[in-house]
Amino acid sequence: MRSVIIAGILFFLLIIASFAGGSAIFYLGGADGLNIDGTASPHGGGLGDHEGGTGWTHYGGDAGGARFNAARAINTENVRDLVTAWEFQTGDLARPAKALGRSASEGTPILAAGALIFCTPFNEIIALDPGTGALKWRRDAQIDLDASPANQFVCRGLAHWRDGASENRLCAERIVMATNDSRIVAVDAATGALCDDFGAGGVVTVRPETQLLWAGEFQFTSPPVIVGDVVIVGSAISDNARRAAPHGTVRAFNVRTGAAVWSFDPIPRTADAPTRADWPEGAAPVEGHANVWAPMSADLKRGLVFLPTSSPSPDFYGGLRAGDNRHANSVVALEAATGAVRWAYQIVHHDVWDYDLPAQPGLYQVWRDGRRHDVVAQVTKTGHVFVLDRDTGAPFLPIEERPAPQDGQTGEVLSATQPFPVRTPALVPDRIAPGDAFGLTWFDKRACAARIKSADAGGLFTPPSERGALIYPANSGGANWGGAAFDPSRNLLVVNMSNIVHHVQLIAAENVPEMRAVFHDSEVSPQSGAPYGMKREVLVSPLGLPCNPPPWGVIAGVDLASGAIVWRKRFGTTQDLAGGLALPLGTPNFGGPIITSGGLIFIGATMDNYLRAFDIATGAELWKGRLPAGGQATPMTYEWEGRQYVVIYAGGHARAGTTLGDSIVAFALP
């Protein structure tokens, strides 16, 4: 009943704001001159090397993560007729409540070996009939559900490999999964049987270089990448526990045998490492992280793998790691066969905001000046889009160094400048003042204004402090692991982003235990080995709504030839947050978009339980299909026996608070 009353008040105030101007609420008609209902610009060009097919063979559609499919049976004219074709339930709702409360269903299936194959958050691989959803086989990796994973129980996807030299034997075609308990598992794609020639009975167990504080401090959450006979994995590591955290090493193994091939640590551990000058003089760095927890991408023709690296440890104090800290917070191109660095471009210098690169680098062909250009596009937590040349890492769209806030905590060594794209404005706001505070009532708004006034709020890259600083966009994004999709016929990048604020406060190390006892409902972490721990929380009003004005989620189309924002929309409603009242205020979102030749964008991601279809040309919403649980996963699409299907994992997200479930849902035309 309380949520219904709140929703009613919110609706009333929304109407009042619309008549009164409501400039803060209607941010999307902002300074770049684009109306919230902006229209598309015409583009030249062709499909380039993303002509696509009607399958979905990689986590990101193709190895480069374009998330584009040439299928066009479902289009802008008939998408309103979509119905549920089939639904498969994994049975995970019967898992222990403790495990479910630490889970997030973020997986995207692939179409391989005549089956639709995906992994559950608990590392069970399941293969379904693509046309009916009937079970073909399943293989459970038997992880410990009593463990405390660094980043929840998550499995975002799988990798597929085929041995062209030996087609008629077990595991000539195999599926590879990286697990929450840091193993790599290889199974036969047709039966799910373990591949005995890979590692020890089909399993390679990875041991980090550093002794773990607990078993779940180090895990694998994103899909492996396979280039030739090399399978490459990154890792997810618990944030803010300690300075000497596990190393963020990227590892490569032979996909046939499981033998180690190479490893790459973004943080230099030896005096002769190329990036050693960007770290303090003296002993080798003891910091960990700069890991690659987000999905990677690969250029199979060039033999390159592209890494989105994270921040060094600890996240919010860098006084012990002076310099830019390269190759942290960077797009790094490695030779897949050797692990050698081809090039690297740093997106955030000396990160003390947890602004790691959260999404798969997109490998696209952009049509400009009468020819095609191979690029890498990286979306970020800061709300920006960086576009680089794929061969050199040089900016394809201009980037400039701009002065960044200083006056960090005592002992901090901040970068004087930070990189900013010149052509594309940030897709979400990056500063807030007390007068911008949002609230349902005068008292609610006043409380938010007071919280903003009491913190350091100098805009993007305001350093954390003992007083407390506002990190805006929050370190959950802006963009997150869902990434972006690319329409090669329009040069159009589509990306969804969240718009909320984090309040981060540094705590003297000796006071951390007391603060943890007092703020037991907040995140309070020690950052052991640094002089400060930290407290982090979303900036919300007494009624629990964000203190910054809506929209709290957006989706946008960006022209990668020019950098122009073509259209931008509010994304998500309050339906499953406010007693069924679906106000179009946008919501924080996790999961990404896909694009089809039918002129459509498909995306779940929001905190209301829907899969949506948008018109790629205008961003107009054309259809939405109700899901049985939260759709915090990236969908996929394929054609099977003449029928196009759009599939999404609707299992919910415990940390985001969406409805938990265990369904894979396929939509198709009647």
Side-chain angles (χ1 to χ4, degrees):
M1 177 61 71
R2 178 174 174 268
S3 63
V4 175
I5 294 172
I6 292 173
I9 296 172
L10 183 55
F11 181 68
F12 175 75
L13 290 177
L14 185 65
I15 294 173
I16 296 295
S18 68
F19 283 105
S23 59
I25 291 179
F26 293 108
Y27 157 77
L28 291 185
D32 58 15
L34 294 176
N35 189 277
I36 190 169
D37 293 317
T39 57
S41 298
H43 297 281
L47 293 178
D49 64 357
H50 288 298
E51 293 175 357
T54 53
W56 197 274
T57 56
H58 297 74
Y59 163 79
D62 61 14
R67 296 186 176 88
F68 171 81
N69 192 286
R72 60 179 67 237
I74 303 169
N75 55 53
T76 56
E77 298 299 319
N78 61 26
V79 68
R80 292 177 179 83
D81 298 327
L82 282 182
V83 296
T84 301
W86 53 259
E87 178 180 346
F88 177 86
Q89 291 183 274
T90 67
D92 277 342
L93 278 180
R95 302 274 189 178
K98 180 181 178 182
L100 283 172
R102 296 172 175 172
S103 70
S105 298
E106 299 178 355
T108 299
I110 59 174
L111 187 68
L116 194 68
I117 309 176
F118 65 97
C119 57
T120 74
F122 306 107
N123 292 126
E124 186 174 13
I125 307 173
I126 297 176
L128 306 178
D129 182 287
T132 66
L135 178 67
K136 299 188 77 169
W137 56 262
R138 59 197 307 164
R139 165 67 62 175
D140 194 338
Q142 299 291 332
I143 63 173
D144 181 6
L145 298 184
D146 290 325
S148 296
N151 297 278
Q152 304 184 92
F153 290 111
V154 176
C155 183
R156 296 191 182 96
L158 306 164
H160 169 245
W161 175 83
R162 178 187 290 115
D163 183 357
S166 181
E167 296 284 354
N168 298 314
R169 64 176 180 84
L170 188 71
C171 288
E173 194 167 359
R174 60 188 61 184
I175 299 296
V176 183
M177 173 179 66
T179 70
N180 286 277
D181 57 3
S182 66
R183 292 179 291 153
I184 305 168
V185 179
V187 303
D188 180 65
T191 66
L194 288 166
C195 299
D196 288 339
D197 57 354
F198 182 84
V203 178
V204 170
T205 300
V206 177
R207 307 290 184 191
E209 301 89 342
T210 306
Q211 183 69 34
L212 299 181
L213 295 180
W214 73 96
E217 187 183 14
F218 176 92
Q219 65 180 135
F220 298 148
T221 57
S222 286
V225 166
I226 299 177
V227 182
D229 286 351
V230 177
V231 56
I232 304 160
V233 294
S235 60
I237 302 169
S238 183
D239 287 341
N240 308 314
R242 51 178 172 153
R243 177 190 176 196
H247 296 181
T249 306
V250 176
R251 297 169 172 84
F253 302 88
N254 185 287
V255 74
R256 299 172 184 272
T257 67
V261 177
W262 54 260
S263 63
F264 168 74
D265 187 345
I267 294 179
R269 308 289 172 182
T270 60
D272 60 349
T275 56
R276 187 66 182 83
D278 290 299
W279 292 81
E281 296 181 5
V286 299
E287 284 77 13
H289 294 186
N291 54 307
V292 179
W293 63 265
M296 297 173 283
S297 54
D299 185 320
L300 302 181
K301 294 180 181 178
R302 287 174 171 82
L304 297 178
V305 60
F306 295 83
L307 317 180
T309 66
S310 79
S311 53
S313 61
D315 282 345
F316 297 106
Y317 181 77
L320 304 175
R321 47 175 171 87
D324 286 347
N325 303 160
R326 304 174 189 262
H327 292 307
N329 303 88
S330 301
V331 179
V332 182
L334 300 182
E335 295 178 2
T338 66
V341 177
R342 180 71 64 85
W343 59 259
Y345 190 93
Q346 190 171 54
I347 301 292
V348 178
H349 306 320
H350 189 82
D351 184 10
V352 291
W353 306 274
D354 192 17
Y355 277 154
D356 44 18
L357 300 193
Q360 184 177 29
L363 309 186
Y364 314 133
Q365 281 197 333
V366 174
W367 189 271
R368 189 175 73 178
D369 302 326
R371 64 188 184 94
R372 294 179 301 206
H373 302 261
D374 290 351
V375 305
V376 181
Q378 181 67 56
V379 296
T380 68
K381 290 183 176 182
T382 59
H384 292 119
V385 180
F386 290 81
V387 189
L388 310 171
D389 180 271
R390 203 184 307 176
D391 285 312
T392 66
F396 173 74
L397 291 177
I399 300 168
E400 65 183 14
E401 294 284 337
R402 296 176 185 170
Q406 299 296 292
D407 301 323
Q409 190 65 35
T410 301
E412 187 57 86
V413 192
L414 297 166
S415 174
T417 63
Q418 293 289 348
F420 284 80
V422 174
R423 300 273 181 84
T424 309
L427 296 176
V428 290
D430 62 9
R431 62 184 57 241
I432 189 169
D436 300 323
F438 176 80
L440 285 179
T441 66
W442 179 82
F443 297 100
D444 210 34
K445 184 172 182 176
R446 184 181 182 186
C448 280
R451 291 205 66 189
I452 295 168
K453 186 176 182 180
S454 69
D456 296 334
L460 188 63
F461 300 120
T462 297
S465 66
E466 286 187 278
R467 180 173 183 251
L470 301 186
I471 310 298
Y472 192 29
N475 26 66
S476 55
N480 209 288
W481 59 265
F486 182 67
D487 184 341
S489 67
R490 291 177 170 85
N491 284 335
L492 196 70
L493 184 82
V494 174
V495 59
N496 54 298
M497 294 191 177
S498 299
N499 174 32
I500 55 175
V501 183
H502 266 142
H503 181 279
V504 173
Q505 182 179 4
L506 295 180
I507 306 163
E510 62 271 19
N511 296 331
V512 169
E514 178 184 354
M515 291 289 281
R516 294 184 86 167
V518 172
F519 295 98
H520 51 81
D521 290 332
S522 298
E523 178 189 0
V524 179
S525 298
Q527 303 195 139
S528 298
Y532 301 96
M534 54 76 68
K535 179 167 77 76
R536 172 171 54 181
E537 57 191 357
V538 177
L539 191 71
V540 296
S541 73
L543 287 176
L545 289 171
C547 279
N548 60 294
W552 299 313
V554 301
I555 186 168
V558 178
D559 182 345
L560 289 194
S562 67
I565 300 174
V566 178
W567 52 259
R568 184 169 45 181
K569 302 285 184 179
R570 299 170 183 235
F571 182 45
T573 73
T574 62
Q575 177 172 340
D576 291 297
L577 301 174
L581 187 58
L583 302 178
L585 300 181
T587 72
N589 46 87
F590 296 96
I594 67 170
I595 296 171
T596 74
S597 283
L600 295 170
I601 304 160
F602 288 100
I603 184 169
T606 58
M607 296 182 72
D608 54 359
N609 301 335
Y610 284 101
L611 176 69
R612 288 179 165 85
F614 295 90
D615 187 326
I616 185 71
T618 66
E621 183 179 314
L622 301 180
W623 169 86
K624 61 182 180 181
R626 188 68 171 162
L627 299 174
Q632 281 69 53
T634 302
M636 53 87 73
T637 188
Y638 58 92
E639 286 188 345
W640 187 258
E641 296 180 346
R643 194 180 190 194
Q644 184 182 352
Y645 297 85
V646 181
V647 174
I648 188 168
Y649 201 154
H653 193 291
R655 184 176 295 175
T658 58
T659 307
L660 296 182
D662 60 2
S663 294
I664 296 285
V665 184
F667 293 91
L669 294 173

